[in-house]
Amino acid sequence: MEKIMEYLNNEKNKALNQDQIITVIWLTILAAVMTGLSLPSTRAQFIYLTNTHPYLMGMLELALLGTMGDLLGTKIVKGRWKIFDIKIHQRILVWAFIGILFTIAFPIYSFGVEGLLNKGLLPGQNSALLTSFWKSFLMNFLFAFPMMVTNRFLNKLIDNDNLFSSWPVVNTFKKISWEHMLQRVAPTCLWFWLPVNTITFLLAPEFRVISGALLAVVLGFILGIVRKKEIN
């Protein structure tokens, strides 16, 4: 009995050590991204790559940071980091697809609002802050929640091993906890995403997708809380 208990304690300690190592790696990657954006030389290279390969960069940014958000959300639910048993390669593909959507969405709402302002259909043409607010307002109320639903739908497909098979669309949508999505996730479009994306639209265009990718980490945190409440 003592040997069994000793073995269990050793396995528990190994799991804790692995969890601590993954925490350090996760934080190191996030710190490396932030450092790369802050240093003049690497920031200049980032701007060049973003301008010359916008879709590829959008895919890479969301694949990395969005997946990190998923891992964070899973840690919130499970209490520990889960890497291989959450089908991480599929989640990377999903976030790369969302990266394409981000790359398209930011210019659409930016140019669209500027067109409305030029025609006098919205107030605040001479105000950078108000212009940014309108871009954020329309993007969040027309794009943000559908994007989060898409993310949740695709994650449900991954959870049920359906991503690479025929999609049971109706059944998958039924499995989404709409009460939590509407009561907890949707309001974030107002109290969180609207103000932070107002700031995002004040940034130069080449930094908007990476800003959205960093906010995807926050999205993973929010959806992780939602999933934890679904389980409880």
Side-chain angles (χ1 to χ4, degrees), residues 8-76:
L8 293 175
N9 287 331
N10 288 336
E11 290 299 310
K12 183 178 180 181
N13 290 333
K14 288 180 181 178
L16 289 174
N17 290 334
Q18 290 176 353
D19 201 68
Q20 292 171 352
I21 291 171
I22 295 173
T23 298
V24 171
I25 294 173
W26 192 96
L27 291 172
T28 300
I29 293 173
L30 186 62
V33 171
M34 300 302 295
T35 301
L37 292 172
S38 63
L39 296 176
S41 59
T42 51
R43 184 170 64 247
Q45 185 65 23
F46 169 81
I47 293 172
Y48 170 77
L49 291 173
T50 298
N51 288 331
T52 53
H53 306 286
Y55 287 114
L56 178 60
M57 288 297 289
M59 291 172 65
L60 292 175
E61 290 159 15
L62 269 296
L64 174 63
L65 294 168
T67 303
M68 289 175 63
D70 270 350
L71 293 174
L72 177 60
T74 302
K75 179 175 172 59
I76 292 172

Side-chain angles (χ1 to χ4, degrees), residues 94-160:
V94 167
W95 277 111
F97 167 71
I98 293 177
I100 295 175
L101 297 182
F102 272 35
T103 303
I104 295 171
F106 276 105
I108 284 177
Y109 288 98
S110 181
F111 295 140
V113 167
E114 288 171 7
L116 292 171
L117 288 167
N118 289 334
K119 289 182 176 294
L121 297 176
L122 287 174
Q125 182 178 6
N126 298 321
S127 170
L129 180 60
L130 195 53
T131 297
S132 181
F133 168 80
W134 284 123
K135 293 176 181 179
S136 178
F137 178 86
L138 290 176
M139 182 173 177
N140 281 289
F141 283 90
L142 296 176
F143 172 77
F145 185 67
M147 186 277 294
M148 288 188 279
V149 171
T150 300
N151 177 274
R152 193 72 187 103
F153 172 80
L154 293 173
N155 282 337
K156 280 291 185 182
L157 289 176
I158 293 173
D159 294 339
N160 296 319

